[in-house]
Structures are given as structure tokens and as C-alpha cells.
Amino acid sequence: MGDLRELLESHGYEGVRTHLQSGNVVLASPLAPRRLEAQLERQLAAGLGMEVRVLVRTRAELAAVVRRNPLGKVATNGSRYLVSFLSKRLPVKVARELEMAEVGSARLVIDGRELYAWYPDGVQRAPLAKLLDDKRLGVLSTARNWNTVTKLLQLLDD
């Protein structure tokens, strides 16, 4: 993650910190989130040869995700509690299908541009996990476990 951090700092971003080897980055930028996403995608492609899609959340948006925590009373293991960050709200038809899906012991809450998913028996074979791929959702998404979500907010506040 050192290369990533160095690249971003070389482009003038301040407060650049990475979390683990995951590509999760916190930084300061005056750009609006959508413009920042596009700029970061270009910079990662040019500087590291990485053709990746980027999703940005502001500190306030991330804090709201943590504050909402709709499954906090049932999710007892942060590694099995995932938040999927979406590029935009789900199409209504997809949201309805997800709400009606048989997902076994898992739980799902759709809240704006985030999906909160609790997998008490683990993610690997969970029927719900198979429903949350980008093609099926119709939007770009990236999931982070609750431990990572709260750590990213902590990095922003340090």
C-alpha cells in the first residue's frame, strides 16, 4: 500500500492513510465525491496501471453509515457483518427482489446507497452473498466488513 499512498500524496492529497492491503484509503480533497472518484480512477490507471472503479464516501457519509447500524443489535461478529457501498441507489425492482429473497439465516437492510448484511453462519455459502454481485444489483458495489468500516472512520478521526 506504500505505492498507493505515495502516488496519492504526489497528486497533492493530504492526510493519506491506507488500511491493511485492501485498497481502502482515507484522504482529504476539496473535490465533490463523483469528481474525486473519476480523478482517482484516472490517477490509479496512469500511476499504478490499475484499472479499478473507485467509490468515495465523505467522512459525514461514513459516520452516518456507522450511526445507522440497523443490524447492530443482532450482528455480534464484525467480520460477518458487511456493508456494501453502492454507486447509486438500487433500482426499485432489484430492491424489491432482494427484500423478498429467501436468504436463510442472513439478514439484509437496504438503506439508501448502502446494503447492510449480517451473515451469522459466515459469508462463504450464504445464499444472500450470491445475490449481491454488481451484475445482479445493476450498480457498482464494494463490500467491507464492519471492523473495516469502523476502522476507516477511526482513521478519519485520528
Side-chain angles (χ1 to χ4, degrees), residues 24-86:
N24 291 301
V25 177
V26 298
L27 54 79
S29 171
L31 295 177
R34 295 286 186 224
R35 290 194 60 207
L36 181 57
E37 288 170 350
Q39 181 170 294
L40 287 169
E41 288 171 1
R42 287 190 302 273
Q43 291 167 338
L44 291 170
L48 298 177
M50 297 173 59
E51 298 286 334
V52 296
R53 297 291 310 268
V54 174
L55 291 178
V56 170
R57 292 296 189 270
T58 66
R59 190 241 169 251
E61 289 170 330
L62 188 59
V65 166
V66 172
R67 189 172 45 254
R68 285 191 306 261
N69 190 11
L71 296 173
K73 291 186 177 168
V74 296
T76 57
N77 179 336
S79 65
R80 292 182 177 191
Y81 184 24
L82 277 64
V83 178
S84 292
F85 296 91
L86 310 176

Side-chain angles (χ1 to χ4, degrees), residues 41-150:
E41 288 171 1
R42 287 190 302 273
Q43 291 167 338
L44 291 170
L48 298 177
M50 297 173 59
E51 298 286 334
V52 296
R53 297 291 310 268
V54 174
L55 291 178
V56 170
R57 292 296 189 270
T58 66
R59 190 241 169 251
E61 289 170 330
L62 188 59
V65 166
V66 172
R67 189 172 45 254
R68 285 191 306 261
N69 190 11
L71 296 173
K73 291 186 177 168
V74 296
T76 57
N77 179 336
S79 65
R80 292 182 177 191
Y81 184 24
L82 277 64
V83 178
S84 292
F85 296 91
L86 310 176
S87 57
K88 59 185 176 183
R89 289 178 179 265
L90 290 175
V92 173
K93 180 181 178 202
V94 173
R96 269 194 235 119
E97 289 171 357
L98 283 174
E99 289 168 347
M100 303 295 284
E102 177 56 48
V103 295
S105 62
R107 303 260 316 262
L108 176 69
V109 172
I110 302 167
D111 191 343
R113 292 187 304 143
E114 284 80 37
L115 305 178
Y116 296 80
W118 166 235
Y119 299 95
D121 302 321
V123 178
Q124 287 286 29
R125 293 182 195 92
L128 177 59
K130 294 173 179 62
L131 300 176
L132 301 183
D133 67 70
D134 289 2
K135 185 175 181 179
R136 191 172 294 219
L137 293 176
V139 300
L140 176 67
S141 70
T142 186
R144 298 296 182 268
N145 74 37
W146 193 252
N147 299 331
T148 298
V149 171
T150 56

